[in-house]
Structures are given as C-alpha cells and as structure tokens.
Amino acid sequence: MFIADKWRHYSKLQRRYGWKAIAFLTWRKLTGNKNHEIKLKGIPHPVTLSNLLVDVYTMLQIFYGKEYDINLDAEPKYIIDCGANIGLASVYFANKYPGAKIIAVEPDSQNFSYLRKNVSPYPNVHCLQKAIWSRPTLMEVVDPGRGNWGYQTKEVEVSDHSVEGITIDQIMEQHSIPDIDFLKIDIEGAEKELFQHHYENWITKAKVIAVELHDFFDPTISPVFNETISKYNFEITQLGENTVCRRR
C-alpha cells in the first residue's frame, strides 16, 4: 500500500510538473541533500527556501510547472506580485523579464526576510512589507495552520503585530506605474475583499491578471470574483492553480 501510494503521488507530480521535477526530487532524496539553498537551471543565482518540505512544491509550481509562463502581447514594463511569499515568483519574473519594474508585496516578516534575500541580486525588484487590501488600513498576519505558504491577513484596529494594508492603486501611485502589464495575486483568501470593493480603477489598468482563488477558505470567493471580472473585457483561462484574465 505504501509503495502504491508513493507511485500515485509521484505520478500526480509528473503529470503536473514533468519528469525533470521528479528527477530533481529523486536526486535530493537519494543524496540526502537537505540544503535550503537551491540552484535552478537557467537561474544565475540560487534561491533559499524557508521551509524545504513546503516551499519546494511552490518552486516546482513556478519553475517546473511554469504556472506563470503566460504569453504577453509585449515585453512587460510593470509587474506587481501580490503575495510574494519568499520571492520565488518574483525571481522567475526578474529572470524572464529583466527590463520590467517588479513590485513584490508580502506582509509576513519571516517570509519577507527570505523574499529580500532571494531577490537581492535583481535591482529591478522592489520589496514592500505590506498587506494587499481594498483600502488603506491596519492588518494582521494570522496562521490558519498551513505554515508559511498559507498565512492569511485580517483587518484590525489595534495590534502589536500589525502591518500596513495597502491598495493596488496606492502601489501604482507611489511607484509611478501607469498600467500593470502583469498582476499576480496569491493572497490566501484576501482576493475576495480585493475584487469586492474599490477595484474600479486598478482593474481597468491591468492587462493580464493571474489570481489563485482560495475557495477552500471561503466558497463565496469565486462568485465575488466572477461577478466583478465579468464587468470588464477579459478572456478567462486556467493555468495550473491560476485563473488567468487577459484583457481583450
């Protein structure tokens, strides 16, 4: 039974990420390599994972599954990475689009420290330790029990561990961004608030949106998102866990 379960697990990973990902995992297991610093093919600088068991699957999703490998109409000038976590997506963007200005937003202090370390070789990536929200406010990072890759945020009035909530409009204004060529959103359920209130300006400036919808947190997230996005002229496709919205 154990062998059969392992086979099903690796078969699922192979279908999603390909044989190169399986070879990578197998090599690490056989060599007993538990180093959190990983050199990826085609990436000039190693990335450091904060939690090897969890972050390695995010790494597979981005660098092997190519879940942000979205064809853009032109070379992007501005990318906003909402929910940057430890910076793996931002590293991917910085290498794929070296001419783009990338704003990486992450609220959690530990994740943010890894984010800054991982993107430090890339001067086109600018890091903000803030939480994406629909309005300026105070936020707090909470752990629903999924570890560093699944931290959520909630609005608070007073907290010893608060972080500033920031809007996409504020980011655009503060960083002189006229249009968003690529907007990545992976904010663990806060996307409901983002697509429910005060979205009217930034959404018209976004050319491509890749959003992960966390309906297992709240089944009303997708209905809210679908109602909002249907008001605008987007073509909707699915790429891995991401719902991709491309402006027609």
Side-chain angles (χ1 to χ4, degrees):
M1 179 64 71
F2 176 77
I3 296 176
D5 288 342
K6 277 288 187 180
W7 174 255
R8 283 192 291 269
H9 173 68
Y10 276 95
S11 294
K12 182 178 179 180
L13 291 178
Q14 188 277 324
R15 288 193 298 272
R16 183 169 180 181
Y17 303 123
W19 286 112
K20 290 182 179 180
I22 301 303
F24 169 83
L25 291 174
T26 303
W27 172 80
R28 290 187 65 84
K29 190 173 185 66
L30 290 175
T31 60
N33 188 340
K34 299 185 182 299
N35 188 357
H36 286 219
E37 188 174 271
I38 293 177
K39 182 70 173 69
L40 294 164
K41 185 177 180 179
I43 304 298
H45 307 284
V47 296
T48 302
L49 307 185
S50 65
N51 183 327
L52 189 63
L53 293 176
V54 172
D55 291 339
V56 71
Y57 290 100
T58 304
M59 186 200 73
L60 294 180
Q61 175 185 351
I62 294 170
F63 293 97
Y64 288 86
K66 303 290 186 182
E67 294 192 8
Y68 292 115
D69 188 16
I70 299 168
N71 290 326
L72 306 179
D73 292 336
E75 193 72 11
K77 295 180 180 179
Y78 303 101
I79 297 172
I80 301 179
D81 181 354
C82 301
N85 197 261
I86 65 169
L88 298 181
S90 289
V91 168
Y92 176 81
F93 296 143
N95 282 277
K96 187 175 176 63
Y97 308 115
K101 182 177 185 178
I102 301 166
I103 310 298
V105 189
E106 169 56 39
D108 178 68
S109 57
Q110 181 177 348
N111 283 342
F112 188 77
S113 67
Y114 281 91
L115 163 65
R116 292 190 68 175
K117 180 178 181 179
N118 283 325
V119 303
S120 59
Y122 306 100
N124 58 325
V125 182
H126 308 268
C127 300
L128 303 178
Q129 189 182 351
K130 300 180 189 296
I132 295 291
W133 202 241
S134 65
R135 57 190 174 275
T137 187
L138 280 181
M139 307 288 292
E140 188 176 69
V141 177
V142 295
D143 182 2
R146 301 177 67 236
N148 70 301
W149 69 321
Y151 290 154
Q152 294 180 285
T153 53
K154 66 176 182 178
E155 190 172 13
V156 294
E157 292 185 4
V158 179
S159 172
D160 293 334
H161 307 286
S162 63
V163 62
E164 182 183 348
I166 192 171
T167 69
I168 294 176
D169 286 331
Q170 284 180 298
I171 294 172
M172 294 179 69
E173 181 180 359
Q174 292 171 11
H175 293 270
S176 302
I177 298 175
D179 296 287
I180 309 168
D181 296 294
F182 195 169
L183 177 61
K184 173 245 177 184
I185 302 172
D186 186 358
I187 50 178
E188 304 302 321
E191 64 271 16
K192 178 179 178 179
E193 176 72 20
L194 193 63
F195 284 94
Q196 196 166 32
H197 304 290
H198 311 301
Y199 53 78
E200 293 84 359
N201 181 61
W202 65 260
I203 202 169
T204 62
K205 305 294 179 61
K207 298 176 182 178
V208 175
I209 303 171
V211 55
E212 184 172 337
L213 300 171
H214 297 83
D215 286 335
F216 52 86
F217 287 138
D218 181 350
T220 67
I221 290 176
S222 280
V224 167
F225 167 79
N226 290 330
E227 180 180 354
T228 294
I229 210 74
S230 67
K231 301 174 186 176
Y232 300 89
N233 192 26
F234 285 103
E235 176 187 1
I236 312 297
T237 56
Q238 197 70 29
L239 182 58
E241 295 181 350
N242 295 306
T243 299
V244 179
C245 313
R246 184 190 301 275
R247 186 170 299 284
R248 291 191 175 96

